[in-house]
Amino acid sequence: MPFTYRVSLFSFLVLMGCARQPYFQPDARVPNAASLRPLGPDSAWVTAGRHYQRGALHNALLGKHYRPVWAMPVAMPVLGLRTAVPGTTLKPGKMGGGFQTSSLTLDAANGRSYVLRTLDKDPFKTLPKVMRKTFLLTLVRDQTSAGNPYAAFVVPPLAQAAGLLHTTPLPFYIAASDTTLGPFSKRFQGKVTLLEERQDGKENLDPSFGKATDLVDSEDMLEKRYDDPTHQIDEVQFARARLFDIWLGDWDRHEGQWQWAVYEEKGRTRYQPVPKDRDQVFYRFDDGLLPYLASRRWAIRKFRTFKPRYEDIEGLVKNARFIDARALHAVTRSQFQQQAAYLQQHLTDAVITTALHRFPPPVYALEGQHTQQALQARRAALPQAANTFYKLLAKHVTIPGTDKPERFLVERLSDTTTRVSMYRITDKEDKYRADSLCYQRTFRTDETQRLTLHGLGGQDVFELSGEVNRGIRIDIYGGPKPDVVIDKSRVRGWGKKTFYYDTKRDNELTKGPSTRDKTTKGVKMHAYDREGS
């Protein structure tokens, strides 16, 4: 780092000292709005966060980010519980929110629920207690400006064109004197907020969900998925949703950012993804010295900046590794390419233009053209991005069973391909009946280094066959109940390619020339993180 930068940085941190108090604007309403266009009583001129506006030195060190957008006066409707949702009246429900935002459930007279949450964030609780009164709190608070506060409002038309389920958030200002939220009023007075449909429970289903029977969160979905093989994720639809995330530059897509619409179809239950919380769309982070260093691959890699080119797919998808591994293990390269082509076809220039005009007009004047050009460039490169994402997923694929009995069939077809099939074990004579097939995918040796099979709670059977010169390593974890492993496969060479992990008791292992017995007296190898705990 050049000497002048080191001196400037040191001086800057010393000047910051303790956390700045107070930090946030006391009221989002623009103090002197006389020079702005007059508005009616149901609207107000507001700024999402004029406290993020800083000088040239600050911007050089910590990034300009979206500070002009946060400080830009925009016209916004004032929240009225009788008018926010046409045809119904809202009333305060339960207080919620994560570590950074305040959120409040608003219940409608028709039985549906909505969520009201603040647009600005306070990462106070994300820091260790010893750091909450230091300059680090001010530093972390300041970086909220890397997010575009109005980006979430642009997403619905894009998601609609992409054929994805979605919420439709709306912006509202809460008057500083508003008391209609009862005991929660003080938490929201003078704030800019986002109001959107609550995607939880069958009572919140609307016609856009078609024949869905329920809406559940990721934890509940995964619990059902691992309990019964007839419960399956719509992985191809999830692949489209994840490519859509990548296109938007939305890096924060962990399992808590998804709900799942439930569909009952011919004896099977299908879960279709419903994304929520679009806080990091169009993220802009690396335009200052400290954020640039912090976002390097050896540092906080997930903080990817939205640009016309995809700069680091692995960093962009890092936060979603848990749910990606569990909801994309059946999707092939060709299916990813099909979904990329679908998005290219449906996310037209006209769709993008219409969506970006959901920015407030002053914000569109600042960001609209630049964002459109970036989206168009990223759309053109989406097949390459999809291929990079697929290759990351394909390196190590985990295929879990359920707590019911299953039969895993691994066929080493050639030096280049291995097919894995999973069947429900039924009482019928044909053990490979098509209607009992739960999973099937052919893997390539040059893409996949390891396949991990988890039997989970059922009494499972693992059968391996085929004789090849080169092959993928197969790791088998039988689970707590008695299992059978029959390895008739052979991969020529010095190294073993089938590894069996289980307890020594009550399991039946028929070893082949490529089998390595890793059974032990302990039960630690039975562990599988089902819900992200």
Side-chain angles (χ1 to χ4, degrees):
M1 185 186 304
F3 176 74
T4 54
Y5 272 118
R6 292 200 300 268
V7 172
S8 298
L9 177 58
F10 176 76
S11 302
F12 178 77
L13 295 179
V14 169
L15 288 172
M16 289 184 73
C18 297
R20 199 179 90 204
Q21 298 293 341
Y23 183 85
F24 298 98
Q25 59 186 12
D27 187 353
R29 187 186 288 266
V30 176
N32 300 308
S35 61
L36 301 172
R37 174 173 53 87
L39 301 174
D42 296 332
S43 298
W45 285 103
V46 302
T47 58
R50 53 187 176 271
H51 44 279
Y52 295 120
Q53 192 72 293
R54 292 289 185 272
L57 175 60
H58 188 106
N59 290 349
L61 290 174
L62 294 178
K64 184 178 179 181
H65 300 343
Y66 284 102
R67 300 180 195 278
V69 173
W70 283 90
M72 175 65 66
V74 302
M76 189 172 293
V78 177
L79 181 71
L81 296 186
R82 295 186 177 182
T83 58
V85 178
T88 189
T89 298
L90 303 176
K91 62 179 181 179
K94 296 180 179 180
M95 195 73 188
F99 285 112
Q100 300 189 54
T101 59
S102 295
S103 71
L104 176 65
T105 299
L106 298 179
D107 299 319
N110 61 7
R112 295 202 62 192
S113 297
Y114 297 80
V115 177
L116 181 74
R117 57 189 179 93
T118 53
L119 217 58
D120 202 357
K121 299 176 181 294
D122 187 358
F124 177 82
K125 293 182 180 179
T126 65
L127 292 177
K129 290 184 179 180
V130 295
M131 297 182 181
R132 292 178 183 177
K133 294 184 178 181
T134 71
F135 74 89
L136 288 173
L137 176 59
T138 300
L139 184 67
V140 174
R141 279 174 168 170
D142 179 82
Q143 292 308 295
T144 298
S145 60
N148 185 323
Y150 303 105
F153 306 113
V154 168
V155 175
L158 300 173
Q160 185 71 27
L164 298 171
L165 297 172
H166 61 89
T167 61
T168 304
L170 298 172
F172 287 98
Y173 165 68
I174 311 293
S177 59
D178 188 297
T179 58
T180 60
L181 300 180
F184 313 114
S185 296
K186 285 188 177 180
R187 298 283 294 274
F188 293 90
Q189 287 171 342
K191 300 287 197 303
V192 174
T193 62
L194 175 153
L195 179 70
E196 65 182 342
E197 310 94 321
R198 186 181 179 194
Q199 304 289 26
D200 185 27
K202 59 185 66 177
E203 65 275 8
N204 288 308
L205 290 169
D206 62 40
S208 68
F209 291 94
K211 296 182 179 180
T213 59
D214 205 352
L215 279 165
V216 299
D217 60 24
S218 292
E219 184 176 352
D220 289 340
M221 180 275 290
L222 290 172
E223 181 181 355
K224 295 291 180 64
R225 155 67 182 87
Y226 296 130
D227 178 66
D228 190 329
T230 64
H231 288 248
Q232 298 176 350
I233 299 169
D234 190 335
E235 295 200 18
V236 173
Q237 187 72 0
F238 188 62
R240 183 191 301 177
R242 292 294 291 121
L243 291 180
F244 184 73
D245 297 336
I246 290 170
W247 179 62
L248 294 174
D250 192 350
W251 56 264
D252 192 18
R253 303 308 306 159
H254 59 81
E255 60 276 12
Q257 303 283 52
W258 300 89
Q259 296 292 115
W260 302 85
V262 183
Y263 296 86
E264 305 293 342
E265 300 169 344
K266 298 180 180 180
R268 299 196 180 214
T269 302
R270 178 173 62 90
Y271 295 91
Q272 189 166 330
V274 187
K276 61 180 184 178
D277 295 348
R278 291 295 191 178
D279 296 332
Q280 308 304 344
V281 170
F282 308 148
Y283 198 69
R284 182 181 295 160
F285 186 68
D286 66 357
D287 56 349
L289 177 61
L290 287 182
Y292 175 83
L293 294 174
S295 63
R296 296 307 87 198
R297 297 190 178 195
W298 44 264
I300 311 175
R301 190 174 183 178
K302 65 183 180 181
F303 290 156
R304 306 324 313 157
T305 292
F306 176 79
K307 298 178 180 179
R309 62 181 178 83
Y310 299 96
E311 61 175 6
D312 181 8
I313 300 295
E314 187 170 357
L316 185 57
V317 302
K318 184 177 180 179
N319 257 29
R321 284 182 301 182
F322 175 89
I323 192 64
D324 285 346
R326 285 151 182 77
L328 292 172
H329 56 72
V331 185
T332 65
R333 182 194 292 267
S334 64
Q335 288 173 320
F336 266 109
Q337 289 302 309
Q338 290 166 8
Q339 296 310 307
Y342 181 95
L343 292 176
Q344 285 184 311
Q345 180 182 355
H346 289 82
L347 294 168
T348 63
D349 290 350
V351 167
I352 294 172
T353 299
T354 299
L356 290 177
H357 274 92
R358 288 173 63 90
F359 278 143
V363 175
Y364 181 83
L366 278 178
E367 297 290 340
Q369 185 175 1
H370 164 80
T371 306
Q372 173 135 4
Q373 291 171 350
L375 286 172
Q376 290 168 335
R378 292 167 76 94
R379 180 186 61 196
L382 196 53
Q384 292 86 350
N387 191 51
T388 300
F389 185 37
Y390 166 79
K391 289 193 292 185
L392 288 171
L393 295 168
K395 286 181 182 179
H396 181 186
V397 179
T398 297
I399 305 168
T402 71
D403 289 336
K404 301 293 191 297
E406 279 110 20
R407 187 183 305 274
F408 292 79
L409 179 62
V410 180
E411 301 169 275
R412 299 189 182 276
L413 301 175
S414 67
D415 289 351
T416 58
T417 58
T418 298
R419 182 166 61 208
V420 178
S421 308
M422 184 175 71
Y423 297 84
R424 285 180 291 149
I425 293 179
T426 65
D427 294 331
K428 298 177 181 179
E429 291 184 4
D430 186 355
K431 61 185 179 182
Y432 302 126
R433 290 173 58 91
D435 60 0
S436 66
L437 180 65
C438 301
Y439 178 93
Q440 189 170 78
R441 177 179 166 187
T442 299
F443 297 88
R444 293 188 57 84
T445 308
D446 59 356
E447 294 175 347
T448 303
Q449 300 170 1
R450 182 179 303 188
L451 293 171
T452 300
L453 312 181
H454 275 274
L456 301 185
Q459 292 182 308
D460 304 302
V461 178
F462 301 84
E463 299 180 29
L464 297 88
S465 64
E467 190 168 323
V468 295
N469 294 311
R470 297 173 58 244
I472 299 169
R473 171 171 166 166
I474 310 293
D475 288 356
I476 299 172
Y477 292 81
K481 291 191 176 181
D483 303 299
V484 175
V485 177
I486 303 171
D487 187 7
K488 296 181 179 179
S489 69
R490 180 181 181 185
V491 182
R492 299 182 185 90
W494 293 101
K496 306 291 186 180
K497 288 293 184 177
T498 303
F499 288 72
Y500 176 45
Y501 300 85
D502 213 326
T503 52
K504 289 185 176 295
R505 296 183 57 186
D506 301 325
N507 296 298
E508 180 182 334
L509 171 62
T510 302
K511 296 173 63 175
S514 294
T515 309
R516 176 160 292 177
D517 183 353
K518 301 288 286 185
T519 56
T520 66
K521 294 181 180 180
V523 296
K524 186 180 295 186
M525 76 290 296
H526 291 158
Y528 178 69
D529 189 358
R530 300 185 180 209
E531 289 94 27
S533 57

